[in-house]
Amino acid sequence: TSSALPCVVKVFTNEKGHADDLSKPSRSFLHELEVLCTSNHPNLVRLLDFGCTLDKGAEFLILEWLDGEDFVSASKKTTRRDFYAMLAQVCRALDYLHRRGLVHGDLKPQNLIVIANSRHTPDAPVVKLLDFGYTTSAGSDPADTVQGSPLYIAPEVIQGKPQTFASDLYSFGVILYECLTGKTPFVGEAVGSILKQHIHQPPPPMSGEMLPELHPLIHQLLMKDPARRPSSSGEVHRQINAISTE
């Protein structure tokens, strides 16, 4: 790009998996482009440019380079103070999307990149939310197939119901559970088994795990009924701020 900043080029394929269909842009490309072109937030990845390749006409995005690691991996190496600062940044990123009527739709550790602070500064690590290929308007008609990552997907999405802001909060709850216990609440060798657990099984108890003050909030976030989860990402942010000062 003209700015000469370190960057990542993300190339999109068409729905059949080939980057050679000139007739229709990839839905994931359009979703990401729409979100990022109209976004300006310190906790969202920054779009630098976009276009099509000259050879096969594949769409691409040029995004800022993020020299960090996924949220769960980073959480294992940070202090309590910085961990709560990281959680607050996720809340702010989600609140920014949700206030615009958007559901991220694929919240997972790999889509939350944590950039460590310099050893010489007291600043907390910076969290960046990325990958908006499944982002939709809240309450819009669900896709023909279930979209999301099996380990982090909300029960109502599996059941074919419209995604809402509460669906993102459920996924956030799974990430928090994983940060504290070292594993996601529902695991299995078959995807179908994991999806059934999301719908029917309560998460295993967290007794004995670290940061017990967070356990009630995680329990709330992992409620099967979206109406019983916190009312908004802003409410989760307020709870996290209150807990962090205890």
Side-chain angles (χ1 to χ4, degrees):
T1 66
S2 58
S3 61
L5 293 172
C7 61
V8 171
V9 179
K10 183 173 182 178
V11 180
F12 293 78
T13 61
N14 66 17
E15 267 48 58
K16 293 183 179 179
H18 304 288
D20 57 4
D21 183 356
L22 304 180
S23 63
K24 186 171 81 169
S26 158
R27 282 178 294 181
S28 295
F29 169 77
L30 293 176
H31 286 164
E32 290 220 45
L33 184 62
E34 182 180 7
V35 172
L36 292 175
C37 271
T38 57
S39 295
N40 181 19
H41 192 276
N43 298 119
L44 266 62
V45 66
R46 189 155 54 96
L47 175 69
L48 303 178
D49 205 347
F50 64 93
C52 293
T53 61
L54 294 177
D55 53 354
K56 296 183 177 180
E59 302 90 5
F60 64 82
L61 301 176
I62 299 179
L63 306 167
E64 66 174 318
W65 170 259
L66 301 176
D67 187 12
E69 56 187 338
D70 74 83
F71 195 90
V72 171
S73 298
S75 73
K76 299 174 182 177
K77 308 170 186 176
T78 194
T79 64
R80 181 184 186 274
R81 179 186 74 91
D82 283 353
F83 180 62
Y84 277 108
M86 288 160 54
L87 297 183
Q89 290 179 66
V90 176
C91 291
R92 287 195 289 269
L94 289 177
D95 191 55
Y96 178 77
L97 286 181
H98 293 175
R99 285 178 180 272
R100 298 168 62 204
L102 299 173
V103 179
H104 183 274
D106 194 21
L107 198 65
K108 58 184 177 181
Q110 294 77 12
N111 287 341
L112 290 166
I113 299 300
V114 180
I115 305 162
N117 56 358
S118 165
R119 298 181 195 175
H120 307 294
T121 67
D123 298 333
V126 174
V127 182
K128 293 274 190 172
L129 176 61
L130 60 150
D131 198 345
F132 302 92
Y134 289 156
T135 299
T136 60
S137 297
S140 59
D141 291 337
D144 295 335
T145 58
V146 175
Q147 294 183 336
S149 300
L151 292 173
Y152 303 93
I153 193 169
E156 64 273 14
V157 179
I158 300 168
Q159 294 171 311
K161 298 175 182 176
Q163 295 211 54
T164 67
F165 308 138
S167 307
D168 278 346
L169 296 183
Y170 180 92
S171 300
F172 188 31
V174 176
I175 294 170
L176 281 174
Y177 186 102
E178 185 177 7
C179 287
L180 269 58
T181 68
K183 59 185 178 181
T184 55
F186 307 116
V187 295
E189 294 183 4
V191 171
S193 169
I194 298 171
L195 299 182
K196 287 180 181 177
Q197 291 176 65
H198 278 295
I199 296 171
H200 300 295
Q201 297 295 323
M206 300 178 65
S207 55
E209 301 294 346
M210 61 181 182
L211 300 183
E213 68 272 17
L214 269 178
H215 296 186
L217 174 59
I218 296 172
H219 179 73
Q220 263 190 295
L221 291 167
L222 293 178
M223 287 288 183
K224 307 297 184 188
D225 180 358
R228 299 184 64 189
R229 296 173 204 153
S231 58
S232 67
S233 47
E235 171 59 27
V236 176
H237 192 186
R238 286 189 288 274
Q239 289 195 43
I240 286 173
N241 281 343
I243 293 168
S244 68
T245 57
E246 290 178 355

